[in-house]
């Protein structure tokens, strides 16, 4: 059995994002990601082999999908599905409140 609370042990500030794998199978990976102001480096785009569904639990963030004019601004409860090889980047994450993400990677 695996149990816990996604909103405990949140760091106040981080040099990089905090990724914690919660569950992994051959076709599924569930992670908690904590961001405290991190963003993708200039010119960097994620291009993942797996699809990803993200849910923002706390804080705020903005994700830009390649080819779209404006980023998707996420607030608590917002979710977004990114198909495999959907190039995207994190434009910004909140600094006053940690941005806590639930990320579900699937094939």
């Amino acid at each position: 059995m695996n149990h816990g609370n996604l909103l405990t042990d949140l760091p106040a500030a981080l040099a990089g994002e905090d990724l914690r794998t919660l569950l992994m199978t051959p076709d599924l990976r569930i992670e908690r990601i904590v961001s405290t102001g991190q963003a993708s480096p200039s010119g960097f785009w994620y291009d993942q082999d797996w699809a990803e569904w993200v849910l923002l639990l706390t804080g705020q963030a903005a994700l830009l999908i390649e080819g779209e004019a404006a980023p998707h601004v996420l607030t608590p409860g917002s979710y977004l599905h990114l198909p495999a090889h959907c190039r995207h980047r994190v434009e910004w994450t909140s600094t006053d409140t940690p941005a806590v993400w639930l990320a579900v990677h699937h094939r």
Side-chain angles (χ1 to χ4, degrees):
M1 178 179 291
N2 186 359
H3 71 281
N5 185 317
L6 296 173
L7 302 178
T8 60
D9 302 324
L10 297 178
L14 298 163
E17 288 184 318
D18 178 61
L19 280 77
R20 181 178 299 174
T21 299
L22 305 172
L23 177 70
M24 184 182 287
T25 70
D27 295 321
L28 179 77
R29 184 174 77 249
I30 301 174
E31 297 174 325
R32 181 191 81 171
I33 304 168
V34 179
S35 307
T36 57
Q38 288 77 18
S40 298
S42 180
F44 174 83
W45 292 89
Y46 288 98
D47 186 351
Q48 304 169 146
D49 291 335
W50 288 32
E52 181 178 13
W53 181 85
V54 294
L55 167 66
L56 193 67
L57 300 170
T58 66
Q60 294 184 331
L63 285 178
L64 180 62
I65 296 173
E66 186 178 48
E68 293 188 358
H72 296 263
V73 176
L74 305 176
T75 58
S78 299
Y79 62 88
L80 187 63
H81 184 256
L82 302 161
H85 299 292
C86 174
R87 288 171 49 96
H88 63 284
R89 54 182 282 107
V90 178
E91 290 290 288
W92 56 264
T93 58
S94 54
T95 57
D96 56 339
T97 302
V100 179
W101 312 74
L102 179 67
V104 179
H105 304 267
H106 61 93
R107 294 201 189 264

